[in-house]
Amino acid sequence: MSKQGAFDLAFGVGGKIGKDDVLSAVDKYEKYHGYYGGEAAERKNNYTDMVNKYYDLCTSFYEYGWGESFHFAPRWIGESLQESMKRHEHFLALQLGLKPGQKVLDVGCGIGGPLREIARFSSTSVTGLNNNEYQITRGQVLNRKVGLDQTCNFVKGDFMKMPFPDNSFDAVYAIEATCHAPDPVGCYKEIYRVLKPGQCFAVYEWCMTDSYNPNNEEQKRIKEEIELGNGLPEIRSTQQCLEAAKKAGFEVVWDKDLAEDSPVSWYMPLDTSHFSLSSFRLTAVGRLFTRNLVSALEYVGLAPKGSQRVQAFLEKAAEGLVGGAKKGIFTPMYFFLVRKPISDSQ
């Protein structure tokens, strides 16, 4: 696992956005969100711009704090954060029944941490679909470093309009990525289209649980904090996601909120009451260090203006995630496995 250093963080903020344009990009990004008075309809209508701005602005922070895989995981007592994340990725491969030589699609692949782990674990060829040029560039560099550039690749494209022929893949998965879709039915229909008949799609979705009350102002604020800090058009309920998969044509194999039975809370790395040397950068002390570091780097001109604002809305996201988890109204790991009927040969 590679982790970015301080200067990698500073130079990476903004991604493909020009350094002089980062501050205005932060302004525009923030205004999309309900926390600053924005509307869900505008985020959905402009999801490509919003999500691209988010990942251009935030990817270097993610890589600095998390490494190559940007997701949560259920965790056993005595298990490190990185071990739990790898196991979470292996679980998807096992649920999909991946076999050596199969062609697999990772929808919304980030910089490819899970893609590389699953490819090595299952001896498959994994294609990562991503609409963010900066993340693809980082992923290609990391693939070359571990010798996977000949068997795994990245394709730039929108998961609402995938650039693949029908029935292209033996399996498809998404890890905390399709939550960025403006319309889950449309997104799942595209996944259905490119998946071979009789094969499966497995996903971890970010969802509000049945306990969420949209009329409760505190819970609504928590939801808005999560949307702001994670580039989401609107967080859907678990039922909405499963129904969307059915409407797309899938048969449900099984589903479960994997956060419910986690012996160690998935949000523990973000909880300010928790301290860990192995994930120091995510702790309260580590985040204070990063905040001061970013402030100093921005002050001397090594990080672009607006970097502190990015750090601030990511902090707000952490507060929302922990608050939502403790109230039982949010999960980042609603899992379902669905199958495309073998009778559908399109």
Side-chain angles (χ1 to χ4, degrees), residues 208-266:
M208 306 310 292
T209 70
D210 292 341
S211 298
Y212 174 66
N213 178 4
N215 298 315
N216 181 295
E217 286 302 315
E218 182 185 11
Q219 293 185 16
K220 183 180 176 184
R221 177 187 55 77
I222 288 171
K223 178 174 177 283
E224 289 175 348
E225 287 176 347
I226 297 172
E227 289 167 346
L228 165 69
N230 296 280
L232 305 179
E234 187 171 30
I235 309 175
R236 295 172 277 270
S237 70
T238 54
Q239 271 306 112
Q240 284 175 317
C241 286
L242 196 63
E243 285 304 310
K246 293 175 184 176
K247 287 179 182 177
F250 285 109
E251 299 171 343
V252 177
V253 179
W254 73 285
D255 72 295
K256 182 176 176 58
D257 179 4
L258 299 182
E260 292 177 348
D261 299 329
S262 180
V264 176
S265 300
W266 62 265

CSV table of all heavy atoms in Angstrom, one decimal, residues 208-266:
chain,number,residue,atom,x,y,z
A,208,MET,N,-29.2,5.9,3.5
A,208,MET,CA,-29.9,6.2,4.7
A,208,MET,C,-30.7,4.9,5.1
A,208,MET,O,-31.3,4.2,4.2
A,208,MET,CB,-30.9,7.3,4.6
A,208,MET,CG,-30.2,8.6,4.0
A,208,MET,SD,-28.7,9.1,4.8
A,208,MET,CE,-29.3,9.6,6.5
A,209,THR,N,-30.7,4.6,6.4
A,209,THR,CA,-31.5,3.4,6.8
A,209,THR,C,-32.9,3.7,7.1
A,209,THR,O,-33.4,4.9,7.0
A,209,THR,CB,-30.8,2.9,8.2
A,209,THR,OG1,-31.1,3.8,9.2
A,209,THR,CG2,-29.3,2.7,8.0
A,210,ASP,N,-33.7,2.7,7.4
A,210,ASP,CA,-35.1,2.9,7.7
A,210,ASP,C,-35.3,3.8,8.9
A,210,ASP,O,-36.5,4.3,9.1
A,210,ASP,CB,-35.8,1.5,8.0
A,210,ASP,CG,-35.9,0.7,6.7
A,210,ASP,OD1,-35.7,1.2,5.6
A,210,ASP,OD2,-36.0,-0.6,6.8
A,211,SER,N,-34.3,4.0,9.7
A,211,SER,CA,-34.4,4.8,11.0
A,211,SER,C,-34.4,6.3,10.6
A,211,SER,O,-34.7,7.1,11.5
A,211,SER,CB,-33.3,4.5,12.0
A,211,SER,OG,-33.5,3.1,12.4
A,212,TYR,N,-34.0,6.7,9.4
A,212,TYR,CA,-33.8,8.1,9.1
A,212,TYR,C,-35.2,8.7,9.0
A,212,TYR,O,-36.1,8.2,8.3
A,212,TYR,CB,-33.1,8.2,7.7
A,212,TYR,CG,-33.1,9.6,7.2
A,212,TYR,CD1,-32.3,10.6,7.9
A,212,TYR,CD2,-33.7,10.0,6.0
A,212,TYR,CE1,-32.3,11.9,7.4
A,212,TYR,CE2,-33.7,11.3,5.6
A,212,TYR,CZ,-33.0,12.3,6.3
A,212,TYR,OH,-32.9,13.6,5.8
A,213,ASN,N,-35.3,9.9,9.6
A,213,ASN,CA,-36.5,10.7,9.6
A,213,ASN,C,-36.2,12.0,8.9
A,213,ASN,O,-35.6,12.9,9.4
A,213,ASN,CB,-37.0,11.0,11.0
A,213,ASN,CG,-38.2,11.8,11.1
A,213,ASN,OD1,-38.8,12.2,10.0
A,213,ASN,ND2,-38.7,12.2,12.3
A,214,PRO,N,-36.7,12.2,7.6
A,214,PRO,CA,-36.4,13.4,6.9
A,214,PRO,C,-37.0,14.7,7.5
A,214,PRO,O,-36.7,15.8,7.1
A,214,PRO,CB,-37.0,13.1,5.5
A,214,PRO,CG,-38.1,12.1,5.8
A,214,PRO,CD,-37.6,11.3,6.9
A,215,ASN,N,-37.9,14.5,8.4
A,215,ASN,CA,-38.5,15.7,9.1
A,215,ASN,C,-37.8,16.1,10.4
A,215,ASN,O,-38.1,17.1,11.0
A,215,ASN,CB,-40.0,15.4,9.4
A,215,ASN,CG,-40.8,15.1,8.2
A,215,ASN,OD1,-40.7,15.9,7.2
A,215,ASN,ND2,-41.6,14.1,8.2
A,216,ASN,N,-36.8,15.3,10.7
A,216,ASN,CA,-36.0,15.7,11.9
A,216,ASN,C,-34.8,16.6,11.4
A,216,ASN,O,-34.0,16.1,10.6
A,216,ASN,CB,-35.4,14.4,12.5
A,216,ASN,CG,-34.6,14.6,13.7
A,216,ASN,OD1,-33.5,15.2,13.7
A,216,ASN,ND2,-35.1,14.1,14.9
A,217,GLU,N,-34.7,17.8,11.9
A,217,GLU,CA,-33.8,18.7,11.5
A,217,GLU,C,-32.3,18.3,11.7
A,217,GLU,O,-31.4,18.5,10.9
A,217,GLU,CB,-34.0,20.1,12.1
A,217,GLU,CG,-35.2,20.8,11.6
A,217,GLU,CD,-35.2,21.1,10.1
A,217,GLU,OE1,-34.1,21.5,9.6
A,217,GLU,OE2,-36.2,20.8,9.4
A,218,GLU,N,-32.1,17.7,12.9
A,218,GLU,CA,-30.7,17.2,13.1
A,218,GLU,C,-30.3,16.1,12.2
A,218,GLU,O,-29.2,16.1,11.6
A,218,GLU,CB,-30.6,16.7,14.6
A,218,GLU,CG,-29.2,16.3,14.9
A,218,GLU,CD,-29.1,15.6,16.3
A,218,GLU,OE1,-30.1,15.3,16.9
A,218,GLU,OE2,-27.9,15.4,16.8
A,219,GLN,N,-31.2,15.2,11.9
A,219,GLN,CA,-30.9,14.1,11.0
A,219,GLN,C,-30.7,14.6,9.5
A,219,GLN,O,-29.8,14.2,8.8
A,219,GLN,CB,-32.0,13.0,11.0
A,219,GLN,CG,-32.0,12.3,12.4
A,219,GLN,CD,-33.0,11.2,12.4
A,219,GLN,OE1,-33.5,10.7,11.4
A,219,GLN,NE2,-33.3,10.7,13.6
A,220,LYS,N,-31.5,15.6,9.2
A,220,LYS,CA,-31.4,16.2,7.9
A,220,LYS,C,-30.1,16.9,7.7
A,220,LYS,O,-29.4,16.8,6.6
A,220,LYS,CB,-32.6,17.2,7.7
A,220,LYS,CG,-32.6,17.9,6.3
A,220,LYS,CD,-33.8,18.8,6.2
A,220,LYS,CE,-33.7,19.6,4.9
A,220,LYS,NZ,-34.8,20.6,4.8
A,221,ARG,N,-29.6,17.6,8.8
A,221,ARG,CA,-28.3,18.3,8.7
A,221,ARG,C,-27.2,17.2,8.6
A,221,ARG,O,-26.2,17.5,7.8
A,221,ARG,CB,-28.1,19.1,10.0
A,221,ARG,CG,-26.7,19.8,10.1
A,221,ARG,CD,-26.5,20.4,11.4
A,221,ARG,NE,-26.6,19.5,12.5
A,221,ARG,CZ,-25.7,18.6,12.9
A,221,ARG,NH1,-24.6,18.4,12.2
A,221,ARG,NH2,-25.9,17.8,13.9
A,222,ILE,N,-27.3,16.1,9.3
A,222,ILE,CA,-26.3,15.1,9.1
A,222,ILE,C,-26.2,14.6,7.7
A,222,ILE,O,-25.1,14.4,7.1
A,222,ILE,CB,-26.6,13.9,10.1
A,222,ILE,CG1,-26.3,14.3,11.5
A,222,ILE,CG2,-25.8,12.6,9.7
A,222,ILE,CD1,-26.7,13.4,12.6
A,223,LYS,N,-27.4,14.3,7.1
A,223,LYS,CA,-27.4,13.9,5.7
A,223,LYS,C,-26.8,14.9,4.8
A,223,LYS,O,-26.0,14.5,3.9
A,223,LYS,CB,-28.9,13.6,5.3
A,223,LYS,CG,-29.1,13.2,3.9
A,223,LYS,CD,-30.6,12.9,3.7
A,223,LYS,CE,-30.9,12.5,2.2
A,223,LYS,NZ,-31.0,13.7,1.3
A,224,GLU,N,-27.0,16.2,5.0
A,224,GLU,CA,-26.5,17.2,4.2
A,224,GLU,C,-25.0,17.3,4.3
A,224,GLU,O,-24.2,17.6,3.4
A,224,GLU,CB,-27.1,18.6,4.5
A,224,GLU,CG,-28.6,18.7,4.0
A,224,GLU,CD,-29.2,19.9,4.4
A,224,GLU,OE1,-28.7,20.7,5.3
A,224,GLU,OE2,-30.3,20.2,3.9
A,225,GLU,N,-24.5,17.1,5.5
A,225,GLU,CA,-23.0,17.1,5.8
A,225,GLU,C,-22.3,15.9,5.0
A,225,GLU,O,-21.3,16.1,4.4
A,225,GLU,CB,-22.7,16.9,7.3
A,225,GLU,CG,-23.0,18.1,8.1
A,225,GLU,CD,-22.8,17.9,9.6
A,225,GLU,OE1,-22.7,16.8,10.0
A,225,GLU,OE2,-22.8,18.9,10.3
A,226,ILE,N,-23.0,14.8,5.0
A,226,ILE,CA,-22.4,13.6,4.3
A,226,ILE,C,-22.4,13.9,2.8
A,226,ILE,O,-21.4,13.6,2.1
A,226,ILE,CB,-23.2,12.3,4.6
A,226,ILE,CG1,-23.1,12.0,6.1
A,226,ILE,CG2,-22.7,11.2,3.8
A,226,ILE,CD1,-24.0,10.9,6.6
A,227,GLU,N,-23.5,14.5,2.3
A,227,GLU,CA,-23.6,14.8,0.8
A,227,GLU,C,-22.6,15.8,0.4
A,227,GLU,O,-21.9,15.7,-0.6
A,227,GLU,CB,-25.0,15.3,0.5
A,227,GLU,CG,-26.1,14.2,0.6
A,227,GLU,CD,-27.5,14.7,0.6
A,227,GLU,OE1,-27.7,15.9,0.8
A,227,GLU,OE2,-28.4,13.8,0.4
A,228,LEU,N,-22.4,16.9,1.3
A,228,LEU,CA,-21.4,17.9,1.0
A,228,LEU,C,-20.0,17.3,0.9
A,228,LEU,O,-19.2,17.6,0.0
A,228,LEU,CB,-21.5,19.0,2.1
A,228,LEU,CG,-20.3,20.0,2.1
A,228,LEU,CD1,-20.3,20.9,0.9
A,228,LEU,CD2,-20.3,20.8,3.4
A,229,GLY,N,-19.6,16.6,2.0
A,229,GLY,CA,-18.3,16.1,2.1
A,229,GLY,C,-17.9,14.9,1.3
A,229,GLY,O,-16.8,14.5,1.3
A,230,ASN,N,-18.9,14.4,0.5
A,230,ASN,CA,-18.6,13.2,-0.3
A,230,ASN,C,-19.1,13.2,-1.7
A,230,ASN,O,-19.1,12.2,-2.4
A,230,ASN,CB,-19.2,12.0,0.4
A,230,ASN,CG,-18.6,11.7,1.7
A,230,ASN,OD1,-17.5,11.1,1.8
A,230,ASN,ND2,-19.2,12.2,2.8
A,231,GLY,N,-19.5,14.4,-2.2
A,231,GLY,CA,-19.9,14.6,-3.6
A,231,GLY,C,-21.1,13.8,-4.0
A,231,GLY,O,-21.1,13.3,-5.1
A,232,LEU,N,-22.1,13.8,-3.2
A,232,LEU,CA,-23.3,13.0,-3.5
A,232,LEU,C,-24.5,13.9,-3.9
A,232,LEU,O,-24.8,14.9,-3.3
A,232,LEU,CB,-23.7,12.2,-2.2
A,232,LEU,CG,-22.6,11.3,-1.6
A,232,LEU,CD1,-23.1,10.6,-0.4
A,232,LEU,CD2,-22.1,10.3,-2.7
A,233,PRO,N,-25.2,13.5,-5.0
A,233,PRO,CA,-26.4,14.2,-5.4
A,233,PRO,C,-27.5,14.1,-4.4
A,233,PRO,O,-28.1,15.1,-4.0
A,233,PRO,CB,-26.8,13.5,-6.7
A,233,PRO,CG,-25.6,12.8,-7.2
A,233,PRO,CD,-24.8,12.4,-6.0
A,234,GLU,N,-27.8,12.9,-3.9
A,234,GLU,CA,-28.7,12.7,-2.8
A,234,GLU,C,-28.6,11.3,-2.3
A,234,GLU,O,-28.6,10.3,-3.1
A,234,GLU,CB,-30.2,12.9,-3.3
A,234,GLU,CG,-31.2,12.9,-2.2
A,234,GLU,CD,-32.6,13.3,-2.7
A,234,GLU,OE1,-32.9,13.2,-3.8
A,234,GLU,OE2,-33.3,13.9,-1.8
A,235,ILE,N,-28.5,11.1,-1.0
A,235,ILE,CA,-28.3,9.8,-0.4
A,235,ILE,C,-29.7,9.1,-0.4
A,235,ILE,O,-30.7,9.6,0.1
A,235,ILE,CB,-27.8,9.8,1.0
A,235,ILE,CG1,-26.5,10.6,1.1
A,235,ILE,CG2,-27.5,8.3,1.5
A,235,ILE,CD1,-26.0,10.8,2.5
A,236,ARG,N,-29.7,7.9,-1.0
A,236,ARG,CA,-31.0,7.1,-1.1
A,236,ARG,C,-31.1,6.1,0.1
A,236,ARG,O,-30.2,5.9,0.8
A,236,ARG,CB,-31.0,6.4,-2.4
A,236,ARG,CG,-31.1,7.3,-3.6
A,236,ARG,CD,-30.9,6.6,-4.9
A,236,ARG,NE,-29.5,6.3,-5.3
A,236,ARG,CZ,-28.7,7.1,-6.0
A,236,ARG,NH1,-29.2,8.3,-6.4
A,236,ARG,NH2,-27.5,6.8,-6.2
A,237,SER,N,-32.3,5.6,0.2
A,237,SER,CA,-32.6,4.6,1.3
A,237,SER,C,-32.2,3.2,0.7
A,237,SER,O,-32.0,3.0,-0.5
A,237,SER,CB,-34.0,4.6,1.7
A,237,SER,OG,-34.8,4.1,0.6
A,238,THR,N,-32.0,2.3,1.7
A,238,THR,CA,-31.6,0.9,1.3
A,238,THR,C,-32.7,0.4,0.4
A,238,THR,O,-32.4,-0.3,-0.6
A,238,THR,CB,-31.5,0.0,2.5
A,238,THR,OG1,-32.6,0.1,3.3
A,238,THR,CG2,-30.2,0.5,3.3
A,239,GLN,N,-34.0,0.6,0.7
A,239,GLN,CA,-35.1,0.1,-0.1
A,239,GLN,C,-35.1,0.7,-1.5
A,239,GLN,O,-35.4,0.0,-2.5
A,239,GLN,CB,-36.4,0.4,0.6
A,239,GLN,CG,-36.9,-0.7,1.6
A,239,GLN,CD,-36.9,-2.1,0.9
A,239,GLN,OE1,-36.1,-2.9,1.3
A,239,GLN,NE2,-37.8,-2.3,0.0
A,240,GLN,N,-34.8,2.0,-1.6
A,240,GLN,CA,-34.8,2.6,-2.9
A,240,GLN,C,-33.7,2.0,-3.8
A,240,GLN,O,-34.0,1.8,-5.0
A,240,GLN,CB,-34.5,4.1,-2.8
A,240,GLN,CG,-35.7,4.9,-2.3
A,240,GLN,CD,-35.3,6.4,-2.0
A,240,GLN,OE1,-34.3,6.7,-1.5
A,240,GLN,NE2,-36.2,7.3,-2.5
A,241,CYS,N,-32.6,1.6,-3.2
A,241,CYS,CA,-31.5,1.0,-4.0
A,241,CYS,C,-31.9,-0.4,-4.5
A,241,CYS,O,-31.7,-0.7,-5.6
A,241,CYS,CB,-30.2,1.0,-3.2
A,241,CYS,SG,-29.4,2.6,-3.0
A,242,LEU,N,-32.5,-1.2,-3.6
A,242,LEU,CA,-32.8,-2.5,-4.0
A,242,LEU,C,-34.0,-2.5,-5.0
A,242,LEU,O,-33.9,-3.3,-6.0
A,242,LEU,CB,-33.2,-3.3,-2.7
A,242,LEU,CG,-33.3,-4.8,-2.9
A,242,LEU,CD1,-31.9,-5.4,-3.3
A,242,LEU,CD2,-33.8,-5.5,-1.7
A,243,GLU,N,-34.9,-1.6,-4.8
A,243,GLU,CA,-36.0,-1.5,-5.8
A,243,GLU,C,-35.5,-1.1,-7.1
A,243,GLU,O,-36.0,-1.5,-8.2
A,243,GLU,CB,-37.1,-0.6,-5.3
A,243,GLU,CG,-38.0,-1.1,-4.2
A,243,GLU,CD,-38.6,-2.5,-4.6
A,243,GLU,OE1,-39.2,-2.5,-5.7
A,243,GLU,OE2,-38.6,-3.4,-3.8
A,244,ALA,N,-34.5,-0.2,-7.1
A,244,ALA,CA,-33.9,0.3,-8.4
A,244,ALA,C,-33.2,-0.9,-9.1
A,244,ALA,O,-33.3,-1.0,-10.4
A,244,ALA,CB,-32.9,1.4,-8.1
A,245,ALA,N,-32.6,-1.8,-8.4
A,245,ALA,CA,-31.9,-2.9,-9.0
A,245,ALA,C,-33.0,-3.8,-9.7
A,245,ALA,O,-32.8,-4.3,-10.8
A,245,ALA,CB,-31.1,-3.7,-8.0
A,246,LYS,N,-34.1,-4.0,-9.0
A,246,LYS,CA,-35.2,-4.8,-9.5
A,246,LYS,C,-35.8,-4.2,-10.8
A,246,LYS,O,-36.0,-4.9,-11.8
A,246,LYS,CB,-36.3,-5.0,-8.5
A,246,LYS,CG,-35.9,-5.9,-7.3
A,246,LYS,CD,-37.0,-5.9,-6.3
A,246,LYS,CE,-36.6,-6.7,-5.0
A,246,LYS,NZ,-37.7,-6.6,-4.0
A,247,LYS,N,-36.0,-2.9,-10.8
A,247,LYS,CA,-36.5,-2.2,-11.9
A,247,LYS,C,-35.6,-2.2,-13.1
A,247,LYS,O,-36.0,-2.2,-14.3
A,247,LYS,CB,-36.8,-0.7,-11.5
A,247,LYS,CG,-38.0,-0.5,-10.6
A,247,LYS,CD,-38.2,1.0,-10.3
A,247,LYS,CE,-39.4,1.2,-9.3
A,247,LYS,NZ,-39.5,2.6,-8.9
A,248,ALA,N,-34.3,-2.3,-12.8
A,248,ALA,CA,-33.3,-2.5,-13.9
A,248,ALA,C,-33.3,-3.8,-14.6
A,248,ALA,O,-32.7,-4.0,-15.6
A,248,ALA,CB,-31.9,-2.2,-13.4
A,249,GLY,N,-34.0,-4.8,-13.9
A,249,GLY,CA,-34.1,-6.1,-14.5
A,249,GLY,C,-33.4,-7.2,-13.7
A,249,GLY,O,-33.5,-8.4,-14.0
A,250,PHE,N,-32.7,-6.9,-12.6
A,250,PHE,CA,-32.0,-7.9,-11.9
A,250,PHE,C,-32.9,-8.7,-11.0
A,250,PHE,O,-33.9,-8.3,-10.5
A,250,PHE,CB,-30.9,-7.2,-11.0
A,250,PHE,CG,-29.7,-6.7,-11.7
A,250,PHE,CD1,-29.5,-5.3,-11.9
A,250,PHE,CD2,-28.8,-7.5,-12.2
A,250,PHE,CE1,-28.4,-4.8,-12.5
A,250,PHE,CE2,-27.7,-7.1,-12.9
A,250,PHE,CZ,-27.5,-5.7,-13.1
A,251,GLU,N,-32.4,-10.0,-10.7
A,251,GLU,CA,-33.0,-10.8,-9.7
A,251,GLU,C,-32.1,-10.7,-8.5
A,251,GLU,O,-30.9,-10.8,-8.5
A,251,GLU,CB,-33.0,-12.3,-10.2
A,251,GLU,CG,-33.8,-12.5,-11.5
A,251,GLU,CD,-33.6,-13.9,-12.0
A,251,GLU,OE1,-32.6,-14.6,-11.7
A,251,GLU,OE2,-34.4,-14.3,-12.9
A,252,VAL,N,-32.8,-10.5,-7.3
A,252,VAL,CA,-32.0,-10.4,-6.1
A,252,VAL,C,-31.6,-11.7,-5.5
A,252,VAL,O,-32.4,-12.6,-5.4
A,252,VAL,CB,-32.8,-9.6,-5.0
A,252,VAL,CG1,-32.1,-9.5,-3.7
A,252,VAL,CG2,-33.2,-8.2,-5.5
A,253,VAL,N,-30.3,-11.9,-5.3
A,253,VAL,CA,-29.8,-13.1,-4.7
A,253,VAL,C,-29.9,-13.0,-3.1
A,253,VAL,O,-30.5,-13.8,-2.5
A,253,VAL,CB,-28.3,-13.4,-5.1
A,253,VAL,CG1,-27.8,-14.7,-4.4
A,253,VAL,CG2,-28.3,-13.6,-6.6
A,254,TRP,N,-29.2,-11.9,-2.6
A,254,TRP,CA,-29.4,-11.6,-1.2
A,254,TRP,C,-28.9,-10.2,-0.9
A,254,TRP,O,-28.2,-9.6,-1.8
A,254,TRP,CB,-28.7,-12.6,-0.3
A,254,TRP,CG,-27.2,-12.6,-0.3
A,254,TRP,CD1,-26.3,-13.0,-1.2
A,254,TRP,CD2,-26.4,-12.1,0.8
A,254,TRP,NE1,-25.0,-12.9,-0.8
A,254,TRP,CE2,-25.0,-12.3,0.5
A,254,TRP,CE3,-26.6,-11.6,2.1
A,254,TRP,CZ2,-23.9,-12.0,1.3
A,254,TRP,CZ3,-25.6,-11.3,2.9
A,254,TRP,CH2,-24.3,-11.5,2.5
A,255,ASP,N,-29.3,-9.6,0.2
A,255,ASP,CA,-28.9,-8.3,0.6
A,255,ASP,C,-28.8,-8.2,2.1
A,255,ASP,O,-29.5,-8.9,2.8
A,255,ASP,CB,-29.9,-7.2,0.0
A,255,ASP,CG,-31.2,-7.2,0.8
A,255,ASP,OD1,-31.9,-8.3,0.7
A,255,ASP,OD2,-31.5,-6.2,1.5
A,256,LYS,N,-27.9,-7.2,2.6
A,256,LYS,CA,-27.8,-7.1,4.0
A,256,LYS,C,-27.0,-5.8,4.2
A,256,LYS,O,-26.0,-5.5,3.5
A,256,LYS,CB,-27.0,-8.3,4.6
A,256,LYS,CG,-26.9,-8.2,6.1
A,256,LYS,CD,-26.2,-9.4,6.7
A,256,LYS,CE,-25.9,-9.3,8.2
A,256,LYS,NZ,-27.1,-9.0,9.0
A,257,ASP,N,-27.3,-5.1,5.3
A,257,ASP,CA,-26.5,-4.0,5.8
A,257,ASP,C,-25.4,-4.6,6.6
A,257,ASP,O,-25.6,-5.0,7.7
A,257,ASP,CB,-27.3,-3.0,6.6
A,257,ASP,CG,-26.5,-1.8,7.1
A,257,ASP,OD1,-25.3,-1.8,6.8
A,257,ASP,OD2,-27.1,-1.0,7.9
A,258,LEU,N,-24.2,-4.6,6.0
A,258,LEU,CA,-23.0,-5.3,6.7
A,258,LEU,C,-22.5,-4.5,7.9
A,258,LEU,O,-21.7,-5.0,8.7
A,258,LEU,CB,-21.9,-5.5,5.7
A,258,LEU,CG,-22.3,-6.4,4.5
A,258,LEU,CD1,-21.0,-6.6,3.6
A,258,LEU,CD2,-22.8,-7.8,4.9
A,259,ALA,N,-23.0,-3.3,8.0
A,259,ALA,CA,-22.5,-2.5,9.2
A,259,ALA,C,-23.2,-3.0,10.5
A,259,ALA,O,-22.6,-2.8,11.6
A,259,ALA,CB,-22.9,-1.0,9.0
A,260,GLU,N,-24.3,-3.7,10.4
A,260,GLU,CA,-25.1,-4.1,11.5
A,260,GLU,C,-24.3,-5.0,12.4
A,260,GLU,O,-24.5,-5.0,13.7
A,260,GLU,CB,-26.4,-4.7,11.1
A,260,GLU,CG,-27.4,-3.6,10.5
A,260,GLU,CD,-28.6,-4.3,10.0
A,260,GLU,OE1,-28.7,-5.5,9.9
A,260,GLU,OE2,-29.6,-3.6,9.7
A,261,ASP,N,-23.6,-5.9,11.9
A,261,ASP,CA,-22.9,-7.0,12.6
A,261,ASP,C,-21.4,-6.8,12.8
A,261,ASP,O,-20.7,-7.7,13.2
A,261,ASP,CB,-23.2,-8.4,12.0
A,261,ASP,CG,-24.7,-8.7,11.9
A,261,ASP,OD1,-25.4,-8.3,12.8
A,261,ASP,OD2,-25.1,-9.4,11.0
A,262,SER,N,-20.9,-5.6,12.5
A,262,SER,CA,-19.5,-5.4,12.6
A,262,SER,C,-19.0,-5.4,14.0
A,262,SER,O,-19.5,-4.5,14.8
A,262,SER,CB,-19.1,-4.1,11.9
A,262,SER,OG,-17.7,-3.9,11.9
A,263,PRO,N,-18.1,-6.3,14.5
A,263,PRO,CA,-17.7,-6.3,15.9
A,263,PRO,C,-17.0,-4.9,16.3
A,263,PRO,O,-17.1,-4.5,17.4
A,263,PRO,CB,-16.7,-7.4,15.9
A,263,PRO,CG,-17.1,-8.3,14.8
A,263,PRO,CD,-17.6,-7.4,13.7
A,264,VAL,N,-16.3,-4.3,15.3
A,264,VAL,CA,-15.7,-3.0,15.5
A,264,VAL,C,-16.4,-2.0,14.6
A,264,VAL,O,-16.5,-2.3,13.4
A,264,VAL,CB,-14.2,-3.0,15.2
A,264,VAL,CG1,-13.6,-1.6,15.4
A,264,VAL,CG2,-13.4,-4.0,16.1
A,265,SER,N,-16.9,-0.9,15.1
A,265,SER,CA,-17.6,0.0,14.3
A,265,SER,C,-16.8,0.5,13.1
A,265,SER,O,-15.7,0.9,13.2
A,265,SER,CB,-18.0,1.2,15.2
A,265,SER,OG,-18.8,0.8,16.3
A,266,TRP,N,-17.5,0.5,12.0
A,266,TRP,CA,-16.8,0.9,10.7
A,266,TRP,C,-16.3,2.3,10.8
A,266,TRP,O,-15.4,2.7,10.1
A,266,TRP,CB,-17.8,0.7,9.5
A,266,TRP,CG,-19.0,1.6,9.6
A,266,TRP,CD1,-20.2,1.2,10.1
A,266,TRP,CD2,-19.1,3.0,9.2
A,266,TRP,NE1,-21.1,2.3,10.0
A,266,TRP,CE2,-20.5,3.4,9.4
A,266,TRP,CE3,-18.3,3.9,8.6
A,266,TRP,CZ2,-20.9,4.6,9.1
A,266,TRP,CZ3,-18.7,5.2,8.3
A,266,TRP,CH2,-20.0,5.5,8.6
